[in-house]
Amino acid sequence: MGDNRLMIKVTVNDRLYELQVDPELRLVDLLRDELGLTGTKEGCGKGECGACTIIMNGKTVNSCMVLAFQADGSEILTIEGMGDGEELHPIQEAFIRQGAVQCGYCTPGMVLSAKAILDKNPNPSEEEIRKGISGNLCRCTGYQKIVDAIKDAAEVMGGGGDER
Amino acid sequence: MKGNIVGHSVPKVDAKAKVTGKALYATDLYMEDMLYMQVLRAPYAHAVIRKIDLAQALAVPGIVRIITKEDLPGLKNHGLIFKDQPALVGIGEKVRFTGDTLAIVIGESNIQVRKAIKKIKVEYDKLEVITDPLRAMEEDAVTIHTAGNIVCTHKLDKGDIVRGFMEADLIVYNEFKTQHVEHITLQPDAGLATLEEDDTICIWAATQWLHDTRVDVAQAMGLPVEKIRIIQPAIGGAFGKREDIIAQLHLAIAVREVKRPVKTIYSREESIIATSKRHPMIFRFRTGVKKDGTLTAWEATVIGDTGAYASSGPAVVHKGLYHCTGPYDCPNVRGVAYTVYTNNTYAGAMRGFGATQTAFAYESQMDIIAEKLGINPIELRLKNAYQVGSTTPNGQKLYASVGVKETIIKAVEAFERLGGVIR
Ligand code: FES
Ligand code: FES
């Protein structure tokens, strides 16, 4: 290691980091092992489960499928950046209210996918919600409650209420 | 209702920690001076190990220690029901499936540890690999464990099976098979262990039966129970898989040797190879029934593949047998269940504990009977479903709260409400 390290600049949860990274380091490891942001989970390491979902430049990505240096210059939102530190984000509140959290291992990824759905369309149909979380597996299989939580959040956040 | 808990919707105690990403799972634990551990798994599903050459692996930079059975001659087997599973397989001993462990490798980084594992050379003599429990039960099959390939047999006898078949207008025989199912807990198997100043070993790992795991780890290592402490972090799914010891024993062995915190995270592939599954089962059902659909006799043979180690197998397969008629009352039942070793990954508890597999078989059998008799399958079920006063195959009298018929009726109503058509 050492010699071929790359210098990157990346903004994570509104904080700018300048970092030396190994060219083989994955983004999920950078976040978890080096920045201590363990809210991002790894479930498969293969782009299948969505546990490692983050929002990068406005789009959800599987952080296990991105190398850390590829994040150079990007803006990243992880679960730790949802809400404002004190207050929960309405999506997080809706997940609690609707009982959408079981073991919780899929939850950070689900919450970020939910955010991406609502950022794109504040008033999504059930089908759009289901499509939007189709890359996130929940092995405790609480999908219905997760869908309910996203609908609930949409309503609270001002969209929603429209049964399309 | 008084109070503010019973009858109220109460937020889950750790829901906030989970939606904010603050909940710590075993995968999320880090400690200063922490080392990483991975294990070398068996190169073949059934073989006698002749030589384990560590020289090249030990030369990989960052490798702190490699532990084999030769370092721990006193290590005892572990297991939930029978102590038949070794944490390490040594020279001259047998591996029984590809998840068996030959060496515990500990190093400064996970990358170095994985590199070292690839450099361990193993010599072994292959034995017949048995993947089919029917083969395992044959006279000339090689024995996977010294006592033979049938772990245990359970029997069931209710009423008079001969009379039951004599009363029948129709006898239906079928064989049903189910397959391995992997739990895929979303959190990969993982754990962290530390050695306290008084030599107590602390293990953080998702564990369903903390007290059993604690006792089993202690007995395997020949330590007093007080020297093992299991601490439960957040659990990223379990579904029965985490009733068995997974990484706990390897972590305890490792931390005792290196005296520094040791962490492990399995890859998904490793978890699939090395940890428990839902039992594949074979069901042979011979069912006697009258023209009007009344069940008169039910004969069952159940064969459960528990893989290389018994785990919860004896209880799971036994339960598969006891539920052989499902929620249907049959006055005359006879059955036998065999829990069988093979060289497949061991099978244990998983959501339903044997009853799930059986449901596939008896519900299929009921559908086939309905078709043969020309009776509506719902009617056939309602005719035979348990009610207060029914007796289960193992003789348990149901004296209250038997909701099967009501459930079937409501399910049919819901099906029709949603536009389903019953023919
Ligand atoms: S861990 Fe990245 S998709 Fe599963
Ligand atoms: S809550 Fe357990 S995986 Fe979704």
Side-chain angles (χ1 to χ4, degrees):
Chain A
M1 281 184 250
D3 312 331
N4 51 359
R5 291 197 140 212
L6 302 167
M7 175 75 176
I8 64 165
K9 280 187 198 176
V10 51
T11 307
V12 183
N13 303 332
D14 291 331
R15 184 164 154 200
L16 179 70
Y17 294 87
E18 293 189 28
L19 302 155
Q20 299 267 355
V21 299
D22 189 279
E24 283 176 36
L25 188 75
R26 301 174 308 164
L27 183 55
V28 63
D29 299 321
L30 176 74
L31 295 170
R32 290 175 51 83
D33 297 344
E34 310 212 355
L35 304 185
L37 300 171
T38 55
T40 302
K41 304 299 178 199
E42 179 172 354
C44 68
K46 292 258 182 318
E48 297 286 347
C49 74
C52 64
T53 302
I54 54 153
I55 296 182
M56 187 164 136
N57 299 327
K59 285 207 180 88
T60 52
V61 299
N62 290 327
S63 60
C64 72
M65 300 301 284
V66 179
L67 292 171
F69 79 85
Q70 293 176 302
D72 188 22
S74 68
E75 264 203 52
I76 287 172
L77 177 72
T78 72
I79 191 68
E80 289 87 352
M82 289 290 282
D84 63 5
E86 285 298 299
E87 296 282 299
L88 295 182
H89 187 281
I91 295 173
Q92 293 170 312
E93 277 173 347
F95 266 65
I96 297 178
R97 205 162 42 237
Q98 295 295 336
V101 182
Q102 293 188 61
C103 84
Y105 211 75
C106 70
T107 306
M110 284 287 185
V111 167
L112 288 164
S113 284
K115 180 166 192 307
I117 294 166
L118 298 179
D119 281 349
K120 207 169 124 203
N121 180 359
N123 187 15
S125 67
E126 168 139 356
E127 203 190 325
E128 278 165 337
I129 294 174
R130 287 184 182 273
K131 270 204 185 124
I133 59 167
S134 63
N136 295 80
L137 296 184
C138 176
R139 283 296 290 166
C140 303
T141 59
Y143 293 112
Q144 187 56 51
K145 292 187 169 194
I146 293 167
V147 172
D148 293 346
I150 299 173
K151 280 189 199 163
D152 181 350
E155 228 163 284
V156 170
M157 289 163 70
D162 177 10
E163 289 294 315
R164 274 187 301 160
Chain B
M1 195 163 301
K2 291 211 175 99
N4 51 11
I5 301 292
V6 176
H8 296 268
S9 183
V10 178
K12 210 170 146 64
V13 64
D14 53 2
K16 189 170 174 190
K18 286 172 173 174
V19 294
T20 51
K22 291 201 181 99
L24 293 178
Y25 299 79
T27 44
D28 303 329
L29 305 174
Y30 295 78
M31 272 191 190
E32 215 152 293
D33 208 26
M34 179 177 93
L35 294 169
Y36 288 85
M37 176 194 93
Q38 296 288 340
V39 304
L40 173 70
R41 304 276 173 193
Y44 197 73
H46 200 193
V48 179
I49 301 302
R50 296 299 175 201
K51 201 174 163 198
I52 304 174
D53 181 355
L54 303 176
Q56 284 192 38
L58 283 165
V60 172
I63 296 307
V64 172
R65 186 89 166 80
I66 301 181
I67 305 163
T68 63
K69 180 70 186 295
E70 280 42 61
D71 300 310
L72 300 157
L75 188 66
K76 293 203 196 72
N77 284 348
H78 64 279
L80 284 173
I81 295 176
F82 298 123
K83 306 286 175 220
D84 62 353
Q85 188 164 0
L88 280 165
V89 176
I91 307 299
E93 296 177 343
K94 277 209 307 187
V95 289
R96 299 184 178 88
F97 81 120
T98 49
D100 268 329
T101 301
L102 299 182
I104 299 172
V105 182
I106 307 147
E108 301 286 347
S109 84
N110 218 8
I111 295 174
Q112 292 164 328
V113 170
R114 287 197 190 278
K115 197 182 273 175
I117 283 180
K118 289 205 189 103
K119 300 208 164 176
I120 301 175
K121 295 210 180 84
V122 182
E123 286 172 26
Y124 53 94
D125 291 332
K126 293 180 180 178
L127 299 167
E128 178 193 355
V129 173
I130 299 177
T131 56
D132 179 354
L134 297 179
R135 169 66 188 143
M137 291 169 82
E138 283 171 3
E139 286 277 311
D140 67 333
V142 51
T143 49
I144 296 167
H145 291 264
T146 27
N149 292 339
I150 297 177
V151 184
C152 59
T153 306
H154 287 97
K155 290 191 172 150
L156 200 58
D157 214 340
K158 174 190 173 190
D160 181 344
I161 194 80
V162 177
R163 213 185 64 211
F165 279 120
M166 281 168 62
E167 284 168 11
D169 294 318
L170 174 73
I171 295 174
V172 177
Y173 174 83
N174 283 296
E175 180 178 289
F176 304 94
K177 287 186 183 183
T178 67
Q179 79 287 17
H180 284 100
V181 177
E182 159 62 40
H183 311 60
I184 315 261
T185 52
L186 199 58
Q187 178 221 306
D189 299 304
L192 174 85
T194 60
L195 192 65
E196 304 299 299
E197 268 168 31
D198 65 351
D199 277 346
T200 302
I201 297 170
C202 292
I203 305 164
W204 285 260
T207 308
Q208 279 181 269
W209 285 358
L210 280 84
H211 304 91
D212 290 76
T213 298
R214 182 185 188 212
V215 170
D216 211 3
V217 168
Q219 72 80 26
M221 297 178 72
L223 293 173
V225 175
E226 311 80 68
K227 288 291 170 200
I228 306 292
R229 187 177 300 148
I230 313 263
I231 301 165
Q232 186 79 284
I235 309 172
F239 319 134
K241 184 190 284 290
R242 288 170 174 164
E243 291 184 12
D244 293 274
I245 285 181
I246 300 178
Q248 292 93 339
L249 188 45
H250 289 151
L251 284 167
I253 292 168
V255 80
R256 202 151 175 259
E257 294 286 321
V258 299
K259 304 189 174 14
R260 279 169 64 182
V262 179
K263 178 177 180 172
T264 192
I265 303 183
Y266 286 22
S267 69
R268 183 57 66 187
E269 290 86 342
E270 183 177 19
S271 182
I272 290 172
I273 289 166
T275 66
S276 138
K277 300 285 164 285
R278 176 176 281 159
H279 286 77
M281 291 193 195
I282 299 169
F283 298 91
R284 293 175 180 150
F285 288 164
R286 188 184 309 278
T287 307
V289 62
K290 287 197 173 143
K291 274 202 198 82
D292 69 354
T294 309
L295 296 172
T296 61
W298 197 297
E299 197 176 33
T301 302
V302 181
I303 297 160
D305 172 3
T306 204
Y309 300 104
S311 177
S312 307
V316 171
V317 180
H318 168 188
K319 195 141 293 193
L321 172 67
Y322 276 22
H323 285 275
C324 66
T325 66
Y328 310 113
D329 201 353
C330 183
N332 309 297
V333 183
R334 179 180 286 171
V336 58
Y338 303 96
T339 307
V340 181
Y341 285 128
T342 64
N343 296 117
N344 294 323
T345 293
Y346 70 89
M350 181 179 179
R351 308 182 85 163
F353 211 75
T356 320
Q357 293 91 318
T358 319
F360 162 70
Y362 61 71
E363 292 298 355
S364 302
Q365 181 80 340
M366 290 297 273
D367 280 340
I368 293 166
I369 292 169
E371 196 177 338
K372 286 198 192 284
L373 289 176
I375 296 182
N376 180 308
I378 297 162
E379 248 168 61
L380 179 70
R381 286 175 169 83
L382 286 172
K383 186 169 200 74
N384 293 287
Y386 282 155
Q387 53 197 3
V388 171
S390 300
T391 313
T392 65
N394 53 321
Q396 183 188 348
K397 191 150 185 178
L398 305 177
Y399 58 86
S401 188
V402 185
V404 190
K405 288 193 184 184
E406 211 183 324
T407 306
I408 294 173
I409 291 164
K410 292 223 159 130
V412 170
E413 282 170 10
F415 178 71
E416 286 177 329
R417 201 166 49 240
L418 293 169
V421 181
I422 290 167
R423 280 167 294 154

Coordinates of all heavy atoms in Angstrom, one line a residue, chain A residues 32-33 38-39 41-44 46 49 51 79-80 88 92 95-96 101-108 111 137 139-141, chain B residues 11-12 15-16 18-25 27-28 30 182-188 235-237 239 268-269 350-351:
Chain A
R32 N -17.3 3.4 6.5 CA -17.4 2.6 7.8 C -16.1 2.6 8.5 O -16.0 2.9 9.7 CB -17.9 1.2 7.5 CG -19.3 1.1 7.0 CD -19.7 -0.4 6.7 NE -19.3 -1.3 7.7 CZ -20.0 -1.5 8.8 NH1 -21.2 -1.0 8.9 NH2 -19.6 -2.3 9.8
D33 N -15.0 2.1 7.9 CA -13.8 1.9 8.6 C -13.0 3.1 8.8 O -12.3 3.3 9.8 CB -12.9 0.9 7.8 CG -13.6 -0.5 7.7 OD1 -14.5 -0.7 8.4 OD2 -13.1 -1.3 6.8
T38 N -20.8 4.0 10.6 CA -21.2 2.6 10.5 C -22.7 2.4 10.3 O -23.2 1.3 10.3 CB -20.7 1.8 11.7 OG1 -21.2 2.5 12.9 CG2 -19.2 1.7 11.8
G39 N -23.4 3.5 10.2 CA -24.8 3.4 9.9 C -25.1 2.8 8.5 O -26.1 2.2 8.2
K41 N -24.6 0.0 6.1 CA -24.4 -1.4 6.3 C -23.9 -2.2 5.1 O -24.2 -1.7 4.0 CB -25.7 -2.1 6.8 CG -26.3 -1.4 8.0 CD -25.4 -1.5 9.2 CE -26.0 -0.8 10.4 NZ -25.0 -0.4 11.4
E42 N -23.2 -3.3 5.3 CA -22.9 -4.2 4.2 C -23.6 -5.5 4.4 O -23.4 -6.1 5.4 CB -21.4 -4.4 4.1 CG -21.0 -5.3 2.9 CD -19.5 -5.4 2.6 OE1 -18.8 -4.7 3.3 OE2 -19.2 -6.3 1.8
G43 N -24.4 -5.9 3.4 CA -25.1 -7.2 3.6 C -24.6 -8.2 2.6 O -24.7 -9.4 2.9
C44 N -24.1 -7.8 1.5 CA -23.8 -8.8 0.5 C -22.4 -8.5 -0.2 O -21.7 -9.4 -0.7 CB -24.8 -9.0 -0.6 SG -25.0 -7.5 -1.6
K46 N -22.2 -7.3 -3.0 CA -22.3 -7.7 -4.4 C -23.3 -6.8 -5.2 O -23.8 -7.2 -6.3 CB -22.8 -9.1 -4.5 CG -21.8 -10.2 -4.0 CD -21.2 -10.8 -5.2 CE -20.2 -11.9 -4.9 NZ -19.3 -11.6 -3.8
C49 N -28.3 -6.3 -2.3 CA -29.2 -6.2 -1.1 C -29.6 -4.8 -0.8 O -30.6 -4.5 -0.1 CB -28.6 -6.9 0.1 SG -27.3 -6.0 0.9
A51 N -28.3 -2.8 1.4 CA -28.0 -2.4 2.8 C -27.0 -1.2 2.8 O -27.0 -0.4 3.7 CB -27.5 -3.6 3.6
I79 N -26.9 7.8 6.3 CA -28.0 7.9 7.3 C -27.7 8.9 8.4 O -28.6 9.5 8.9 CB -28.3 6.4 7.8 CG1 -29.6 6.4 8.6 CG2 -27.1 5.9 8.6 CD1 -30.8 6.6 7.8
E80 N -26.4 9.0 8.7 CA -26.0 9.9 9.8 C -26.3 11.4 9.4 O -26.4 12.2 10.3 CB -24.5 9.8 10.1 CG -24.1 8.5 10.8 CD -23.8 7.3 9.8 OE1 -24.1 7.5 8.6 OE2 -23.4 6.2 10.3
L88 N -35.3 14.1 14.3 CA -35.3 13.1 13.2 C -35.9 13.7 12.0 O -36.7 14.6 12.0 CB -36.2 11.9 13.6 CG -35.7 11.1 14.8 CD1 -36.6 9.9 15.1 CD2 -34.3 10.6 14.6
Q92 N -37.7 9.2 8.9 CA -37.3 8.4 10.1 C -38.4 8.3 11.1 O -38.7 7.2 11.6 CB -36.0 9.0 10.7 CG -34.8 8.9 9.8 CD -33.6 9.8 10.4 OE1 -33.8 10.9 10.8 NE2 -32.5 9.2 10.4
F95 N -41.0 5.9 9.8 CA -40.6 4.5 9.9 C -40.9 4.0 11.4 O -41.3 2.9 11.6 CB -39.1 4.3 9.6 CG -38.8 4.0 8.2 CD1 -39.1 4.9 7.1 CD2 -38.2 2.8 7.8 CE1 -38.9 4.5 5.8 CE2 -38.0 2.4 6.5 CZ -38.3 3.3 5.5
I96 N -40.6 4.8 12.3 CA -40.9 4.4 13.7 C -42.4 4.3 14.0 O -42.8 3.3 14.5 CB -40.2 5.4 14.7 CG1 -38.7 5.5 14.6 CG2 -40.6 5.1 16.2 CD1 -38.0 6.5 15.5
V101 N -39.5 -0.9 11.3 CA -38.2 -1.3 11.7 C -38.3 -2.6 12.5 O -38.9 -2.6 13.5 CB -37.6 -0.2 12.6 CG1 -36.1 -0.6 13.0 CG2 -37.6 1.2 11.9
Q102 N -37.6 -3.6 11.9 CA -37.6 -4.8 12.7 C -36.1 -5.0 13.2 O -35.7 -4.3 14.1 CB -38.1 -6.0 11.9 CG -39.6 -5.9 11.6 CD -40.2 -7.1 11.0 OE1 -40.1 -8.2 11.5 NE2 -40.7 -7.0 9.8
C103 N -35.3 -5.9 12.5 CA -34.0 -6.0 13.0 C -33.2 -4.7 12.7 O -32.2 -4.4 13.3 CB -33.3 -7.2 12.4 SG -32.6 -6.9 10.7
G104 N -33.6 -4.0 11.7 CA -33.1 -2.7 11.4 C -31.9 -2.6 10.5 O -31.4 -1.6 10.2
Y105 N -31.4 -3.8 10.1 CA -30.2 -3.8 9.3 C -30.4 -3.2 7.9 O -29.5 -2.6 7.3 CB -29.6 -5.2 9.2 CG -28.1 -5.3 9.1 CD1 -27.3 -5.0 10.2 CD2 -27.5 -5.5 7.8 CE1 -25.9 -5.0 10.1 CE2 -26.1 -5.5 7.7 CZ -25.3 -5.3 8.8 OH -24.0 -5.3 8.7
C106 N -31.6 -3.3 7.4 CA -31.9 -2.8 6.1 C -32.4 -1.3 6.2 O -32.5 -0.6 5.2 CB -33.1 -3.5 5.4 SG -34.7 -3.3 6.2
T107 N -32.7 -0.9 7.4 CA -33.3 0.4 7.6 C -32.6 1.6 7.1 O -33.2 2.4 6.4 CB -33.7 0.6 9.1 OG1 -34.4 -0.6 9.6 CG2 -34.5 1.8 9.4
P108 N -31.3 1.8 7.4 CA -30.6 2.9 6.8 C -30.7 3.0 5.3 O -31.0 4.1 4.8 CB -29.1 2.7 7.3 CG -29.2 1.9 8.5 CD -30.4 1.0 8.3
V111 N -34.3 4.0 4.4 CA -34.6 5.4 4.6 C -34.0 6.3 3.5 O -34.7 7.2 3.0 CB -34.1 5.8 6.0 CG1 -34.1 7.3 6.2 CG2 -34.9 5.1 7.1
L137 N -33.3 -5.1 0.0 CA -33.9 -6.3 0.6 C -34.2 -6.1 2.1 O -33.3 -5.6 2.8 CB -33.0 -7.5 0.4 CG -32.7 -7.9 -1.1 CD1 -31.9 -9.2 -1.0 CD2 -34.1 -8.2 -1.8
R139 N -34.9 -8.8 4.9 CA -35.1 -10.2 5.2 C -36.1 -10.4 6.3 O -36.6 -11.5 6.4 CB -33.7 -10.9 5.5 CG -32.9 -11.1 4.3 CD -33.6 -12.1 3.3 NE -33.6 -13.5 3.8 CZ -34.4 -14.4 3.3 NH1 -35.2 -14.2 2.3 NH2 -34.3 -15.6 3.9
C140 N -36.3 -9.4 7.1 CA -37.4 -9.6 8.1 C -38.8 -9.4 7.5 O -39.8 -9.6 8.1 CB -37.2 -8.6 9.3 SG -35.6 -8.7 10.1
T141 N -38.7 -9.0 6.2 CA -39.9 -8.9 5.3 C -41.0 -8.0 5.9 O -42.1 -8.5 5.9 CB -40.4 -10.3 4.9 OG1 -40.8 -11.0 6.1 CG2 -39.4 -11.1 4.1
Chain B
P11 N -43.7 2.3 20.5 CA -42.6 2.2 19.6 C -41.5 1.2 20.1 O -41.3 1.1 21.3 CB -42.0 3.6 19.6 CG -42.9 4.5 20.4 CD -43.9 3.6 21.1
K12 N -40.9 0.5 19.2 CA -39.9 -0.4 19.5 C -38.8 0.3 20.2 O -38.4 1.4 19.9 CB -39.3 -0.9 18.2 CG -38.8 -2.3 18.2 CD -38.5 -2.7 16.7 CE -37.4 -3.6 16.5 NZ -37.5 -4.9 17.2
A15 N -35.9 1.4 18.1 CA -36.3 1.9 16.7 C -35.5 3.2 16.4 O -35.0 3.4 15.2 CB -37.8 2.1 16.6
K16 N -35.4 4.1 17.3 CA -34.7 5.4 17.0 C -33.2 5.1 16.7 O -32.7 5.7 15.7 CB -34.8 6.3 18.2 CG -34.4 7.7 17.9 CD -34.7 8.7 19.0 CE -34.0 10.0 18.6 NZ -34.1 11.0 19.7
K18 N -32.0 2.6 15.4 CA -31.9 1.9 14.1 C -32.2 2.8 12.9 O -31.6 2.7 11.9 CB -32.9 0.7 14.1 CG -32.3 -0.5 14.9 CD -33.2 -1.6 15.1 CE -32.5 -2.8 15.8 NZ -33.5 -3.9 16.1
V19 N -33.2 3.7 13.1 CA -33.4 4.7 11.9 C -32.4 5.7 11.8 O -32.3 6.4 10.7 CB -34.8 5.4 12.0 CG1 -35.9 4.4 11.9 CG2 -35.0 6.2 13.2
T20 N -31.6 5.9 12.8 CA -30.5 6.9 12.7 C -29.2 6.3 12.4 O -28.2 7.0 12.2 CB -30.4 7.7 14.0 OG1 -30.2 6.7 15.1 CG2 -31.6 8.6 14.3
G21 N -29.1 5.0 12.3 CA -27.8 4.3 12.0 C -26.9 4.2 13.2 O -25.8 3.8 13.1
K22 N -27.5 4.6 14.4 CA -26.6 4.5 15.6 C -26.5 3.2 16.3 O -25.6 2.9 17.1 CB -27.1 5.6 16.6 CG -26.8 7.0 16.1 CD -26.8 8.0 17.3 CE -26.6 9.4 16.7 NZ -27.8 10.2 16.6
A23 N -27.5 2.3 16.0 CA -27.5 1.0 16.6 C -26.3 0.2 16.2 O -25.9 0.2 15.0 CB -28.8 0.2 16.1
L24 N -25.6 -0.4 17.1 CA -24.4 -1.1 16.8 C -24.6 -2.6 16.7 O -25.0 -3.2 17.7 CB -23.3 -0.8 17.9 CG -22.8 0.7 17.9 CD1 -21.8 0.9 19.0 CD2 -22.2 1.1 16.6
Y25 N -24.3 -3.1 15.5 CA -24.4 -4.5 15.3 C -22.9 -5.0 15.5 O -22.0 -4.2 15.5 CB -24.9 -4.8 13.9 CG -26.3 -4.3 13.7 CD1 -26.5 -2.9 13.4 CD2 -27.4 -5.1 13.8 CE1 -27.8 -2.5 13.2 CE2 -28.7 -4.7 13.6 CZ -28.9 -3.3 13.3 OH -30.1 -2.8 13.1
T27 N -21.0 -6.2 13.4 CA -20.2 -5.7 12.3 C -19.7 -4.3 12.5 O -18.7 -3.9 11.9 CB -21.0 -5.7 11.0 OG1 -22.3 -5.1 11.3 CG2 -21.2 -7.1 10.4
D28 N -20.3 -3.6 13.4 CA -20.0 -2.2 13.6 C -19.0 -1.9 14.8 O -18.8 -0.7 15.1 CB -21.3 -1.4 13.8 CG -22.3 -1.6 12.7 OD1 -21.8 -1.7 11.6 OD2 -23.5 -1.5 13.0
Y30 N -15.6 -1.7 16.7 CA -14.1 -1.5 16.4 C -13.5 -1.3 17.8 O -14.1 -0.7 18.6 CB -13.9 -0.3 15.5 CG -14.5 -0.4 14.1 CD1 -15.8 -0.2 13.9 CD2 -13.7 -0.7 13.0 CE1 -16.4 -0.4 12.6 CE2 -14.2 -0.9 11.8 CZ -15.6 -0.7 11.6 OH -16.1 -0.8 10.3
E182 N -31.7 -21.1 2.9 CA -30.8 -20.3 3.7 C -31.5 -19.1 4.3 O -32.3 -18.5 3.6 CB -29.6 -19.9 2.7 CG -28.8 -18.7 3.1 CD -28.0 -18.8 4.4 OE1 -27.5 -19.9 4.6 OE2 -28.0 -17.9 5.1
H183 N -31.2 -18.8 5.5 CA -31.9 -17.7 6.2 C -31.5 -16.3 5.6 O -32.4 -15.5 5.6 CB -31.5 -17.7 7.7 CG -31.6 -19.0 8.4 ND1 -30.9 -20.1 8.0 CD2 -32.3 -19.4 9.5 CE1 -31.1 -21.1 8.9 NE2 -32.0 -20.7 9.7
I184 N -30.3 -16.2 5.2 CA -29.8 -14.9 4.7 C -30.2 -13.8 5.6 O -30.9 -12.8 5.3 CB -30.3 -14.5 3.2 CG1 -30.1 -15.7 2.3 CG2 -29.5 -13.3 2.7 CD1 -28.9 -15.7 1.4
T185 N -29.8 -13.9 6.9 CA -30.0 -12.7 7.8 C -29.2 -11.6 7.1 O -28.1 -11.8 6.6 CB -29.3 -13.1 9.1 OG1 -27.9 -13.5 8.8 CG2 -30.0 -14.2 9.8
L186 N -29.8 -10.4 7.1 CA -29.2 -9.4 6.3 C -27.8 -9.0 6.8 O -26.9 -8.6 6.1 CB -30.1 -8.1 6.1 CG -29.8 -7.2 5.0 CD1 -29.8 -7.9 3.7 CD2 -30.7 -6.0 5.0
Q187 N -27.7 -9.0 8.1 CA -26.4 -8.8 8.8 C -25.6 -10.0 8.6 O -25.9 -11.1 9.1 CB -26.5 -8.4 10.2 CG -25.2 -8.2 10.9 CD -25.1 -8.8 12.3 OE1 -26.0 -8.6 13.2 NE2 -24.1 -9.7 12.6
P188 N -24.4 -9.9 8.0 CA -23.5 -11.1 7.9 C -23.1 -11.6 9.3 O -23.1 -10.8 10.2 CB -22.3 -10.6 7.1 CG -22.6 -9.2 6.6 CD -23.8 -8.7 7.4
I235 N -29.1 -7.2 16.7 CA -29.0 -8.4 15.9 C -29.6 -8.1 14.5 O -30.8 -7.7 14.4 CB -29.9 -9.5 16.5 CG1 -29.5 -9.7 18.0 CG2 -29.7 -10.8 15.8 CD1 -30.4 -10.6 18.7
G236 N -28.8 -8.3 13.5 CA -29.3 -8.0 12.1 C -30.0 -9.3 11.5 O -29.6 -9.7 10.5
G237 N -31.0 -9.7 12.2 CA -31.8 -10.9 11.7 C -31.2 -12.2 12.3 O -30.0 -12.3 12.6
F239 N -33.6 -15.6 12.7 CA -34.5 -16.6 12.0 C -34.2 -18.0 12.4 O -34.5 -18.9 11.6 CB -34.6 -16.4 10.5 CG -34.5 -14.9 10.0 CD1 -33.7 -14.5 9.0 CD2 -35.4 -14.0 10.6 CE1 -33.7 -13.2 8.6 CE2 -35.4 -12.7 10.2 CZ -34.6 -12.3 9.2
R268 N -20.6 -13.2 2.6 CA -21.9 -13.8 2.4 C -21.8 -15.3 1.9 O -22.5 -16.2 2.4 CB -22.8 -13.0 1.3 CG -24.1 -13.5 1.1 CD -25.0 -13.6 2.3 NE -25.3 -12.3 2.9 CZ -25.9 -12.2 4.1 NH1 -26.3 -13.2 4.8 NH2 -26.2 -11.0 4.6
E269 N -20.8 -15.5 1.0 CA -20.6 -16.9 0.5 C -20.2 -17.8 1.7 O -20.7 -19.0 1.8 CB -19.5 -16.9 -0.5 CG -19.8 -16.3 -1.8 CD -19.5 -14.8 -1.8 OE1 -19.4 -14.2 -0.7 OE2 -19.4 -14.2 -2.9
M350 N -35.1 -23.1 11.7 CA -35.5 -21.9 10.8 C -37.0 -21.8 10.8 O -37.7 -22.7 10.4 CB -35.0 -22.1 9.4 CG -35.3 -20.9 8.6 SD -34.8 -21.0 6.9 CE -35.4 -19.4 6.2
R351 N -37.4 -20.6 11.2 CA -38.8 -20.2 11.2 C -39.8 -21.3 10.9 O -40.1 -21.6 9.8 CB -39.0 -19.1 10.2 CG -38.0 -18.0 10.3 CD -38.2 -16.9 9.3 NE -39.2 -16.0 9.8 CZ -39.4 -14.7 9.4 NH1 -38.7 -14.3 8.4 NH2 -40.4 -14.0 9.9

